[in-house]
Amino acid sequence: MSTFFDLKIMVQAEHIDILEHVNNVVYVQWMQDIASAHIEELGLGLAQYLELKHAMVAVEHHVQYRKAAILGDEIILRTWLSDINALYSFRQYAFYRAKDQSLLFTGSTKWACIEIATGRPKRMSPTFIQAYQVLNEEINPLDFSNTTLAE
């Protein structure tokens, strides 16, 4: 059964912009960070990519900034896989403030499987298909009372 993956972070000074909230590009970095942490947790991280000679690369992002995060906020980064086929996986994100469970950010990424040596599209191997499972439809990833924190 596939579930979502959570990672707790604390907003640091380097995340803050001139308007005194988390800069928009930081959220995109956090998308990358949580996706990488999740695939490591699934046992299919960078080392396995290199061994298998193919990898997933981001080809499209969609983001929605909903509320500002400020210095010192504890943020829960949440991600899950919503769809998968032979060439693509689709990852969703919801970032929320821990103290009040305010939804700060939502996003999605379309990831493509490529052959590392050539950069060309490649069908996902059975190893990828087995590791990358979509979220169980009975689980509501926006129910922030349930967490699976990795720290």
Side-chain angles (χ1 to χ4, degrees), residues 51-121:
E51 182 181 313
L52 293 167
K53 298 181 179 18
H54 59 288
M56 301 301 289
V57 296
V59 294
E60 186 176 317
H61 292 297
H62 294 274
V63 299
Q64 183 178 27
Y65 305 99
R66 301 173 69 101
K67 290 185 180 180
I70 60 173
L71 184 65
D73 276 348
E74 182 180 82
I75 308 297
I76 308 300
L77 309 180
R78 177 167 289 178
T79 190
W80 63 95
L81 292 163
S82 60
D83 196 8
I84 189 169
N85 61 45
L87 295 174
Y88 299 104
S89 69
F90 300 86
R91 180 176 290 281
Q92 304 293 318
Y93 310 85
F95 301 166
Y96 66 97
R97 189 173 22 249
K99 70 179 176 187
D100 62 3
Q101 298 185 345
S102 288
L103 183 61
L104 306 175
F105 172 90
T106 58
S108 62
T109 303
K110 179 180 180 181
W111 296 85
C113 188
I114 62 156
E115 184 177 359
I116 293 173
T118 65
R120 292 189 178 144

Side-chain angles (χ1 to χ4, degrees), residues 10 24 35 39 41 45 69 96 104 113 124 134 136:
M10 190 69 77
N24 61 317
I39 64 170
E41 178 76 13
Y96 66 97
L104 306 175
C113 188
M124 281 190 232
V134 300
N136 183 314

